[in-house]
Amino acid sequence: MLLRKENILIVDDDINILELLQRHLQSWNYHVFKAISVKEAVVILRDTKIDLLITDLKMPEIDGFELIKYVSEHYPKLPKLVVTGYPSVQGSLAAIKSGVVDYLTKPFTREELKLALEKSLITSDEKVLPSKNTSLEKHKAYAEIIGNSEKINDVIQVIERVKDNKATIFIKGESGTGKELVAHAIHYQGKFSRSPFIAVNCGAIPENLLESELFGYLKGAFTGAEMNREGFFQAANGGTIFLDEIGNASLAVQSRLLRVLQEKKVVKVGSTKAEKIDVRVIAATNSDLQDMIKKQTFREDLFYRLTVVEINVAPLRERKEDITLLVDKFLFKYGVEYKDGFVKITPEAIAILERYNWPGNIRELENVVQRAVIMCDKIIDVEHLPEHLKHTLSFSSEVLVPLKVIEKQYIVKVLRATGNNKTKAAEILRIDRKTIRQKLSE
């Protein structure tokens, strides 16, 4: 009997096959997730850490080939096992270079399934940790972080350094840049991924309730406290707590939080007993905490406790080379959700999206693509984009900018044309790779 606890996602429009696979997998002590369509599978992949995908190929609306392509791009380390009623599928799999580990032809025996499963999971074990010589520059998707720009690769490099320890981390960035995705990646890409991850939006909880919500309280501690209750810190014990918009916390909460970071203990509201906890704290804000320190609305000693490791998530206007990749992600997500299929976008529409400065960052881009998918018939064109984006395009050529900005834009254009091959780009630009990095970071 296999004594393993991997999460396995099985995708098939045949309920009988799903139930058969589920019975076998559960008898071998695996966690099983089922989906009867690619649309359901994408939702599960987005919200759950999956260790192996088992999928049929011939399914209505969106077939398994498209699911395999999607997983290969967005979850490149996830092994894939195909179950099909079509023996000729082997040639097709080779043609799409999908990275499928093995395939089974229906009907199959329990022993054949077991052997294919073990082979796939051995491959999974080999892929869990990247080689030390592997460059992160080639990443298009890391967890849910999409991008191939220098600034995103810098973020990924830091995540790789911190994901397996419990140092306190501070994530800084404008609203909509994906700070929570970075926090998720730190937790779920590391060795503590099976432990709890608790996200708390400090700005969404009333100031007078934040302290009791974070640290818990005893019955009778205040009006309305009718029972003992654990706080978010206790719920996150052994794992990670993500404190978003930490700049909204009151000075009283900041004082309590400082004590927790220093002593690794929590005291519930209304109690004098300290409870030992083991929690990694990740904090984030779009506020200027240094300015808040000067105004005495944020504690300087807490600031230094929170910023043991600092990650700066760049705004979308500073990494426009990632826009096409992000658009592809949202086209798939909302195409499946609203159109039961895939939606394309014209080069003219992409050009407008790349010219716009995105003050709302990735969140604004996602909203624009979502609306365009709803308004179009399988192909997004200029007419499906908001008017203010098109107006920006009309006047942008008249804006005068410093020379270094023009240089940077051209370097990005050359990098995009060479598939982000810095050596090739350096040859075309007649500068070295170091100069490219310097000019992109200016």
Side-chain angles (χ1 to χ4, degrees), residues 12 24 61 117 155 209 222 258 396 420 433:
D12 201 308
H24 288 328
E61 297 175 348
L117 196 68
V155 169
L209 294 179
F222 52 84
L258 178 63
S396 60
N420 209 37
R433 288 166 56 96

Side-chain angles (χ1 to χ4, degrees), residues 28-308:
W28 296 323
N29 208 28
Y30 292 103
H31 296 298
V32 179
F33 296 82
K34 296 187 297 182
I36 61 171
S37 68
V38 171
K39 182 176 179 179
E40 284 188 13
V42 170
V43 173
I44 294 171
L45 285 165
R46 191 171 64 229
D47 297 334
T48 310
K49 180 177 172 59
I50 297 297
D51 299 299
L52 173 66
L53 170 68
I54 301 177
T55 184
D56 189 18
L57 291 179
K58 298 292 184 179
M59 290 183 284
E61 297 175 348
I62 306 173
D63 63 28
F65 283 107
E66 296 298 337
L67 176 60
I68 290 168
K69 291 177 185 177
Y70 174 78
V71 169
S72 297
E73 179 177 348
H74 295 279
Y75 305 94
K77 295 180 186 178
L78 178 60
K80 298 168 282 292
L81 171 62
V82 164
V83 176
T84 178
Y86 299 85
S88 63
V89 72
Q90 189 173 19
S92 300
L93 293 177
I96 65 173
K97 299 180 180 179
S98 58
V100 171
V101 176
D102 204 353
Y103 78 101
L104 289 172
T105 302
K106 303 174 187 176
F108 52 84
T109 67
R110 177 183 168 92
E111 189 59 32
E112 287 173 336
L113 173 62
K114 184 177 181 181
L115 290 173
L117 196 68
E118 290 177 337
K119 177 181 176 182
S120 300
L121 288 169
I122 288 171
T123 303
S124 172
D125 291 340
E126 292 171 351
K127 290 184 177 181
V128 166
L129 292 176
S131 166
K132 291 182 180 179
N133 297 322
T134 299
S135 171
L136 290 172
E137 292 180 353
K138 296 181 180 180
H139 281 210
K140 291 185 178 179
Y142 180 91
E144 285 295 302
I145 301 172
I146 304 296
N148 203 24
S149 62
E150 196 75 27
K151 290 183 181 292
I152 281 298
N153 284 323
D154 288 345
V155 169
I156 293 171
Q157 293 280 2
V158 178
I159 293 173
E160 283 289 301
R161 294 280 186 181
V162 302
K163 64 187 175 73
D164 291 328
N165 61 62
K166 290 195 173 180
T168 304
I169 300 162
F170 181 72
I171 305 172
K172 184 179 180 181
E174 295 178 8
S175 180
T177 51
K179 298 186 290 297
E180 186 165 352
L181 289 182
V182 174
H184 272 273
I186 293 168
H187 179 79
Y188 288 108
Q189 295 298 115
K191 64 182 182 181
F192 306 111
S193 61
R194 300 289 184 182
S195 302
F197 177 90
I198 304 294
V200 183
N201 186 338
C202 299
I205 301 173
E207 184 178 322
N208 61 326
L209 294 179
L210 183 58
E211 185 175 5
S212 58
E213 290 293 317
L214 285 176
F215 309 118
Y217 54 84
L218 295 183
K219 180 180 179 180
F222 52 84
T223 303
E226 298 177 353
M227 65 182 73
N228 295 343
R229 181 172 174 180
E230 301 289 305
F232 290 126
F233 269 90
Q234 289 91 339
N237 197 23
T240 303
I241 187 167
F242 174 54
L243 303 176
D244 198 8
E245 299 306 336
I246 189 65
N248 289 327
S250 67
L251 287 171
V253 172
Q254 292 175 36
S255 179
R256 289 286 300 274
L257 180 57
L258 178 63
R259 193 175 307 119
V260 170
L261 293 173
Q262 289 173 334
E263 301 174 5
K264 306 295 183 185
K265 295 179 181 178
V266 169
V267 179
K268 291 179 180 176
V269 176
S271 174
T272 57
K273 181 182 176 182
E275 303 173 34
K276 190 171 179 60
I277 57 165
D278 176 25
V279 176
R280 168 171 51 193
V281 176
I282 303 177
T285 186
N286 58 13
S287 304
D288 186 342
L289 293 190
Q290 295 282 15
D291 185 55
M292 292 180 66
I293 290 170
K294 291 177 184 176
K295 295 176 180 176
Q296 298 185 339
T297 57
F298 199 87
R299 294 183 61 122
E300 186 173 18
D301 46 3
L302 176 59
F303 174 79
Y304 290 116
R305 281 281 179 180
L306 291 173
T307 55
V308 175

Side-chain angles (χ1 to χ4, degrees), residues 9-23:
L9 171 61
I10 49 179
V11 188
D12 201 308
D13 61 321
D14 187 331
I15 298 297
N16 294 324
I17 292 294
L18 279 181
E19 291 180 350
L20 174 67
L21 288 169
Q22 182 180 29
R23 285 198 302 272

